[in-house]
Amino acid sequence: MIQTFDELINTLKGSQSKVVAVAYAHDTDALEAISKTHQEGIAKGILVGPKEKIEKAAATVGLSLTPFEIVDIDDEKAATQKAVALVREGQADVLMKGLCSTSTILSAVLDKVNGLRDAKLLSHITAFQIPSYPKLIIISDAAMNIAPTLEEKVGITENAIQVANRLGNPCPKVAVIAAVEKVNPGSMPCTVDAAVLSMMGSRGQIKNAVIDGPLAVDNAFSKHSCEVKGITSPVGGDADIAILPDIEAGNCFYKVMSYLALAKTAGIIVGARKPIVLTSRSDSDETKFLSIALAMKVS
């Protein structure tokens, strides 16, 4: 089971037959990330966007673009659609967001005729590595589904489990997060969803995982907290995956881990035909590099 990003990267080295298509690629952090991806022997890159701006951005950080193909398209929407087409047509294995807006890339991905949408629900997956926890933490959903219904939470949970499976964990422990660990139908409907997801897991409706909830964040990741509160849980204190109740909770968790806990972070969208590297434009080149690595592993 892969427990660190270094282990993840080591499993990918030498697999440079795979290709990343970067949409609107004149972003210095994205260029540094794709350059490191090439140097590590993980993947090749196709840079789609205004060639002059891509070359200027690369020059500002001292990067050579010799190893990369550049598709010169000035318009943001057209460049993004072309990057999506490269993935759809099998010329690239992973789509990556450059300087295009999230709405632009998702619009292209979700296009019914020319996009990458499959039958599954699309959801955002983030993996974190922090010194205080012995393995990678996967959370969902910080950037895609705003206020998911119970049915959508099933899809979100299944997507997260499949990512954990691809990382070598055949039966991840899933904590369905709420503010409390007791079901409170009147005031906290998300606790009911958590209990239903837990029951669906125990009865095999959601497969290849052990699921428990509602659990608060401390219960999910601290055995001591479970002991103090008298919580007996197969997941408590040892969670691999945390399913957040809505995008607000997910996004806050993401930003706290990234900016205050100084976690190493990777973020992708899964559920489409191929994974999509979707990070914030303000994310570091390291986050974008690790996101490419995660996407490559699950592609």
Side-chain angles (χ1 to χ4, degrees), residues 150 154 157 174-176 183 191-206 209-215 233-235:
L150 174 59
V154 172
T157 303
V174 181
V176 189
V183 176
T191 62
V192 178
D193 290 350
V196 172
L197 291 169
S198 179
M199 183 60 70
M200 291 176 74
S202 67
R203 294 191 174 182
Q205 288 176 265
I206 302 175
V210 177
I211 306 173
D212 196 18
L215 290 171
S233 166
V235 174

Side-chain angles (χ1 to χ4, degrees), residues 264-288:
K264 290 186 176 183
T265 306
I268 62 174
I269 286 180
V270 295
R273 295 182 194 176
K274 295 289 185 178
I276 302 155
V277 177
L278 185 72
T279 55
S280 169
R281 280 175 280 188
S282 64
D283 279 333
S284 68
D285 61 301
E286 179 188 50
T287 293
K288 293 177 181 181

Side-chain angles (χ1 to χ4, degrees), residues 224-257:
H224 177 69
S225 175
C226 291
E227 291 169 2
V228 170
K229 294 184 177 181
I231 296 170
T232 301
S233 166
V235 174
D238 194 33
D240 299 292
I241 297 170
I243 302 298
L244 282 300
D246 55 32
I247 199 171
E248 292 174 347
N251 196 270
C252 288
F253 193 110
Y254 179 101
K255 298 278 174 66
V256 167
M257 291 286 279

Side-chain angles (χ1 to χ4, degrees), residues 65-266:
L65 295 178
T66 302
F68 307 112
E69 178 184 349
I70 299 176
V71 180
D72 185 14
I73 301 176
D74 191 60
D75 180 73
E76 177 183 349
K77 183 176 179 181
T80 304
Q81 290 172 335
K82 177 60 177 178
V84 169
L86 290 170
V87 177
R88 187 181 66 252
E89 294 164 4
Q91 297 179 57
D93 302 280
V94 167
L95 176 67
M96 181 178 183
K97 176 178 175 285
L99 274 182
C100 62
S101 68
T102 298
S103 60
T104 298
I105 195 167
L106 288 181
S107 176
V109 167
L110 296 173
D111 185 280
K112 292 182 179 178
V113 177
N114 298 311
L116 298 174
R117 191 163 195 169
D118 214 336
K120 295 175 63 179
L121 176 81
L122 271 65
S123 60
H124 188 266
I125 300 289
T126 311
F128 297 107
Q129 180 183 325
I130 56 174
S132 59
Y133 203 66
K135 53 187 174 180
L136 293 175
I137 298 169
I138 294 171
I139 73 152
S140 193
D141 185 317
M144 184 77 193
N145 295 284
I146 296 173
T149 63
L150 174 59
E151 183 177 5
E152 289 169 337
K153 287 178 182 177
V154 172
I156 288 168
T157 303
E158 289 175 335
N159 282 349
I161 292 167
Q162 288 178 10
V163 170
N165 293 160
R166 293 303 299 270
L167 292 175
N169 189 340
C171 191
K173 296 179 179 180
V174 181
V176 189
I177 301 297
V180 295
E181 53 282 336
K182 294 182 180 179
V183 176
N184 187 337
S187 301
M188 295 183 178
C190 70
T191 62
V192 178
D193 290 350
V196 172
L197 291 169
S198 179
M199 183 60 70
M200 291 176 74
S202 67
R203 294 191 174 182
Q205 288 176 265
I206 302 175
K207 302 183 185 301
N208 302 322
V210 177
I211 306 173
D212 196 18
L215 290 171
V217 171
D218 57 335
N219 314 143
F221 298 108
S222 168
K223 290 186 181 296
H224 177 69
S225 175
C226 291
E227 291 169 2
V228 170
K229 294 184 177 181
I231 296 170
T232 301
S233 166
V235 174
D238 194 33
D240 299 292
I241 297 170
I243 302 298
L244 282 300
D246 55 32
I247 199 171
E248 292 174 347
N251 196 270
C252 288
F253 193 110
Y254 179 101
K255 298 278 174 66
V256 167
M257 291 286 279
S258 298
Y259 289 95
L260 297 181
L262 302 178
K264 290 186 176 183
T265 306

